[in-house]
Every structure is written in C-alpha cells, then in structure tokens.
C-alpha cells in the first residue's frame, strides 16, 4: 500500500488499567496507584507520577520513591470488561468501532466528520458523550493512520491532512512502543522519529529486520499495514450453537477457546492470518451483540481466545462503568456465538519468526546473530529462502543473515499429483535451471520447508517433473553414493527410455549393510540445460521406503545411484 493512509479517529482513555481497577475492584484512582506486570510498572495514576514514578520501573524502585504506593496486578480481562461500556457509548455516536486494546478504540474519521460537522466537532461530541455516559475522561486524536492518531490522542490534537509526517518528526523514538529498538537507536545517535524516517528503507530492513522496517514506516507517517486487507471467503466464519444458554463467564471462556481453535485451524488451512476479528453473539431472547477487535499482527489461537473471552466477559458481566446504566447485562444467556475474520492477510506476510512475534526478542536475536557474523564472517549465519526447482536441493537457497532474501529460481510452483509406483511421468526438458547454491559452513544439511503450496494457489511458472509431495525433511549437502539391487542380487539400471530393469529390492548406502526396500515410486526424469554441454544434466529420481520405516529420495545419474534426501 502506498500513499497516505486513510484518516483515523482514535479515542484514548489515560491510565486505563488504573481506572479499570477503580471501576471493577474499587481501588481509588486519586491515590498513588501502579499496575504491575512481570514486576514492572505498566501504568500509574497521576498522583503516582507526581511522586516520580514512571512506566517500566521495577516494583522495588517504585515503592522506594513512594512508600504509600498501592500496587495492583495487571489483568487484561478486567481492563477489557471495564472498557466495554466506553466502547458501547462511542458506538452510540459513530459506527464501525475497532477495539485496539482496552483503553483505546478507533474508527475511520470520514464518516463521523461528515455526519457531525467536521473532525473537531466529532471529537468533541464523542468525548462529551463518553463523559456523560460513563463518567470517564477521554481524549480523541485524528491523523493519517492509526499510529499517528494514537499519538495525537495523547495531546487531544487533530493533525491536518498531509501533516502527519511533520507531526511525527519531532517525537522521540520511544513513541514507537519498542523499548529495545528505541534504546538501540539512541545509542546510534537517532533520537527522533524524523531522524529514523530519514534513513533508507533498505538499510533499515537489513539492520533491524522486519519489525524495524514496520517501525520505520510508522515513523515516516505511512500506513502501519503495508499489505492490503481483503474480504475473506464466507466459509471462514465459525459458529457454535449452544442448547443450554451461556450466562457464566467460565462457561463462556471454555466456548471461546474451542471456537478460537476452530477459526485458527480454518484460517491456517487457507494460508491466511486474521488481523481484524468480529465477535457476534445471539441470546436466547434474540438480542444480537457485535464487536470488532483490531490487531496489527498475526492473531494466534490464544490471542483470538483471549479477545473473545474478554468480550464475552464484558457482555455477561453487565458492567455499567461509573455513570449511567449502559450497557445492561443481556436479558438471557448466549445461545449462538460466531467469529468472523473481518480482515485477513496471506499468512506468509505475517509469519512469526523462530523467536516468536515481532518485538524485543527478534531484535535481540538479530543483534546476537550480527555479532556472530562479525566474529566468524558473513557466511557463518545463513537462512533458507524457498523458490522453484525440480529437486529439493534446487528449491532452497542459503542466504547470509541480513542479505536480501531472493530465491534463485521463481516459485513456489504448484505441486503435481503422486503417480502410481513404476509410472514414468513426462520428461522435463528445456529448463533454464540455475546451479544450486553451496551448503552453509560446516556442511550443514539443508531443511526443505514442507508447507510449500499448502492451501494456496500460486501464480508462478510451473516446474514439470518436480518431485511430488511430501517434501523431504533433510536435503543432504553432498549426495551419498549407493547401490540398488533386485531380488536376484543384480544391479538395477534405468535405460535411456526410462525403463527400469527390475523392481528395486535392496539398497546399500556407501559401505553400510544392505537394507530391504518395501516400496518405491518413480522414476521422475529430468533433462536440464541440454543446450549448454558444461551445465547439462540428465537424471532420474525415485522415492523408496525401507523395511525399517525409513524413506529416502534416490537419484540415478550416469549409471550411479545417489541418496539425495531423507524423509521423516
């Protein structure tokens, strides 16, 4: 997505975890109060800030600055339950509300501004209505994009169209909400979002990874979701009918977990990830409830279950906030629960890394691997890039950490059906194949990714003669020499016309002991680059199962049998 993102209107309630503790548990927010998570301050009251307490302080340091401090443990469920009346109050004024997190919700600014006479009038109307309905102080910010609107809301400011980049330029890098990245940027002499935005996007991606690239887009005032969200197919929606109406929070939590797992499995089957989740409920009396949760990232099954549980808790508890009588508890229990993935992306665009979601863990891993490269050289740390090709070795390219991840060959191609044993598919001839990249340091075997093509239709050039699924788990950097014999002990040979002399019966790898072959499929012939004599290659491949349960990928080239890969 290019250009300026659409205008967003975001409502923010200051110190919401503290205020939620007052609404639900009766903790006086006028006293010095802190909310702790993992022994660090995540929110504090105005009185606590006057005593010198700030976010991310350790508990002992915070209590040292204010001995009379009231400590409350962080509870996202409590925060969401108390925030439901605020969202309901906002929804009485404008439509299309998305909950960012407990304490913040957003909507497109175009509709409210046209209906209420401008962005400033809409902001004033929303703040006034929330104060009258819920007795909650709030602020509204309007800017190009949700991230900039969130920063504007902290000042109660309306950023003019086209002025978002200038508004963000003077903000400190801590405004990104990534403490580890902000600390690293400051040590590099980058102190403001404007300084960060002035860097080259390619250099930022190479140095800080995908999360740094996302932060760079935010700092420049561009959209925080570079991939276009599309409407999902109708069959992704999951629904649960309940004979006994659900009117208890614990029963609702169990139903939420089960339904979230079903939705996550269905999305994974289509290669998709949910970014905006619609939660719909119908009571026994026909009352319909609906809420949308927004998430700039991959919603895992646990994250979906948490948001559904929080929302059901907010509905079933009937919390009225500190003023008014809205929203009232449903008049009957819930008999139908429906989850709608309102916005989805291709899962490859949000694939979590080896160290989990984007954030501090990935930043620390990136710095550690960069230090290893500084000591041992750039080729010491490599990552696999999937591409096209006819053999598993051709489909994987090892790229040094930090380099551009471009496959050697276009792909991934569609996967052909598995032919019956002994069937000879058409010869793949005339390929413009490129030589395979060498193995990494120490001859580490390549691992082929077995998710290629799962649940996806990829418009890429086909690769006739490609090995059918499943893909092998381990691709050997150097094939092992082998011998294949029939039941009579004679060597098995493949003629120029792809005729197999006899059924393979025994396999001997190197100097090892012979192993019985219980099943086999092939040959899959390949005749590549026949027009270049130096690069020409002609071989036939077989899949074999051994009596001990092992499965191998064999190739015969120039009369020599080789073991190319191993299956799980």
């Amino acid at each position: 997505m290019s250009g300026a993102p659409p205008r967003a209107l975001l409502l923010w309630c200051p110190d919401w975890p503290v205020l939620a503790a007052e609404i639900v548990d009766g903790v006086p927010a006028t006293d010095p109060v802190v909310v702790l998570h993992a022994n660090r301050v995540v929110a504090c009251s105005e009185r606590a800030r006057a005593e010198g307490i700030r976010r991310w302080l350790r508990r002992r340091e915070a209590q040292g600055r204010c001995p009379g401090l009231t400590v409350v443990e962080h509870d996202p469920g409590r925060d969401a339950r108390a925030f439901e009346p605020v969202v309901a109050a906002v929804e009485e004024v404008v439509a299309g509300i998305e909950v960012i997190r407990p304490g913040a919700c957003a909507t497109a600014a175009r509709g409210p501004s046209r209906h209420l006479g401008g962005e400033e009038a809409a902001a004033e109307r929303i703040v006034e209505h929330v104060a009258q309905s819920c007795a909650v102080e709030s602020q509204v910010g309007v800017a190009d994009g949700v991230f900039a609107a969130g920063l504007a809301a902290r000042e109660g400011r309306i950023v003019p169209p086209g002025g978002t980049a200038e508004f963000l330029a003077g903000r400190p890098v801590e405004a990104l909400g990534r403490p580890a990245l902000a600390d690293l940027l400051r040590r590099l002499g980058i102190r403001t979002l404007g300084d960060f935005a002035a860097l080259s996007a390619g250099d930022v991606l190479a140095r800080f990874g995908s999360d740094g690239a996302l932060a760079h887009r935010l700092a420049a005032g561009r959209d925080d979701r570079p991939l276009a969200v599309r409407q999902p197919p109708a069959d992704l929606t999951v629904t649960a009918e309940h004979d006994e109406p659900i009117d208890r929070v614990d029963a609702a939590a169990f139903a939420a977990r089960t339904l979230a797992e079903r939705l996550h499995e269905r999305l994974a089957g289509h290669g998709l990830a949910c970014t905006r989740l619609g939660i719909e409920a119908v009571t026994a009396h026909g009352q319909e409830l609906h809420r949308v949760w927004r998430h700039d990232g991959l919603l895992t099954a646990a994250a979906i279950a948490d948001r559904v549980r929080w929302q059901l808790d907010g509905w079933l508890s009937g919390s009225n906030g500190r003023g008014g009588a809205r929203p009232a508890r449903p008049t009957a229990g819930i008999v139908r629960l429906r989850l709608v993935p309102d916005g989805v992306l291709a899962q490859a665009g949000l694939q979590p890394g080896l160290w989990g979601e984007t954030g501090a863990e990935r930043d620390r891993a990136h710095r550690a691997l960069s230090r290893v490269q500084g000591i041992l050289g750039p080729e010491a740390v490599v990552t696999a890039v999937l591409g096209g090709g006819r053999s598993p070795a051709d489909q994987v390219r090892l790229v040094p950490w930090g380099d551009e991840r471009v496959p050697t060959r276009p792909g991934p191609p569609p996967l052909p059906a598995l032919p019956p044993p002994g069937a000879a598919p058409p010869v793949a001839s005339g390929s413009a194949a490129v030589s395979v990249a060498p193995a990494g340091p120490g001859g580490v075997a390549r691992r082929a990714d077995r998710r290629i093509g799962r649940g996806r239709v990829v418009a890429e050039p086909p690769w006739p003669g490609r090995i059918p699924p499943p893909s092998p788990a381990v691709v050997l950097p150097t094939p092992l020499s082998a011998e294949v014999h029939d039941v009579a002990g004679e060597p098995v040979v493949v003629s120029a016309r792809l005729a197999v002399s006899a059924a393979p019966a025994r396999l001997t790898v190197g100097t090892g002991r012979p192993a019985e072959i219980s099943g086999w499929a092939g040959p899959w012939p390949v005749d590549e680059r026949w027009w270049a004599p130096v690069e020409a290659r002609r071989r036939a491949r077989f899949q074999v199962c051994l009596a001990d349960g092992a499965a191998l990928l064999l190739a015969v080239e120039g009369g020599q049998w080789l073991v190319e890969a191993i299956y799980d």
Side-chain angles (χ1 to χ4, degrees), residues 239-244 246 259 262 282 334-337:
T239 305
E241 303 282 350
H242 302 280
D243 296 333
E244 294 293 332
I246 299 176
L259 203 59
R262 286 176 51 195
V282 178
I334 295 174
V335 296
R336 181 184 304 154
L337 183 60

Side-chain angles (χ1 to χ4, degrees), residues 258-321:
T258 303
L259 203 59
E261 292 175 353
R262 286 176 51 195
L263 175 61
H264 189 262
E265 291 176 359
R266 185 165 296 183
L267 289 171
H270 288 78
L272 301 174
C274 180
T275 60
R276 200 166 58 244
L277 176 67
I279 305 173
E280 300 176 359
V282 178
T283 67
H285 290 171
Q287 181 182 4
E288 297 183 0
L289 306 171
H290 178 74
R291 183 70 67 233
V292 175
W293 283 76
R294 174 189 174 97
H295 182 70
D296 291 320
L298 184 144
L299 273 175
T300 62
I304 294 174
D306 286 342
R307 283 154 179 77
V308 178
R309 175 171 54 84
W310 296 342
Q311 189 58 59
L312 293 178
D313 192 3
W315 282 333
L316 295 177
S317 64
S319 175
N320 296 324

Side-chain angles (χ1 to χ4, degrees), residues 14-85:
D15 308 326
W16 181 253
V18 176
L19 194 58
E22 180 184 42
I23 294 173
V24 178
D25 300 331
V27 178
T30 55
D31 293 347
V33 180
V34 295
V35 179
L36 297 180
H37 177 64
N39 211 34
R40 288 188 179 271
V41 176
V42 295
C44 57
S45 64
E46 184 177 356
R47 180 87 175 273
R49 282 194 296 272
E51 298 289 341
I53 297 176
R54 297 293 183 267
R55 292 182 66 189
W56 312 120
L57 282 180
R58 292 189 178 275
R59 176 173 184 158
R60 180 173 299 178
E61 185 176 357
Q63 290 177 330
R65 296 185 181 186
C66 181
L69 194 64
T70 301
V71 175
V72 180
E73 290 298 325
H74 181 50
D75 184 357
R78 176 189 61 211
D79 298 347
R81 183 167 62 251
F83 192 56
E84 174 59 25

Side-chain angles (χ1 to χ4, degrees), residues 222-255:
R222 296 192 294 271
D223 195 1
D224 55 353
R225 188 176 290 166
L227 298 178
V229 176
R230 62 182 177 84
Q231 290 298 320
D235 62 348
L236 294 181
T237 300
V238 294
T239 305
E241 303 282 350
H242 302 280
D243 296 333
E244 294 293 332
I246 299 176
D247 54 5
R248 301 193 323 272
V249 175
D250 57 344
F254 178 79

Side-chain angles (χ1 to χ4, degrees), residues 460-489:
E460 295 289 350
W463 290 92
R466 183 170 182 255
I467 289 294
S471 298
V474 178
V475 179
L476 301 176
T478 303
L480 303 177
S481 62
E483 295 180 0
V484 178
H485 298 85
D486 57 16
V487 292

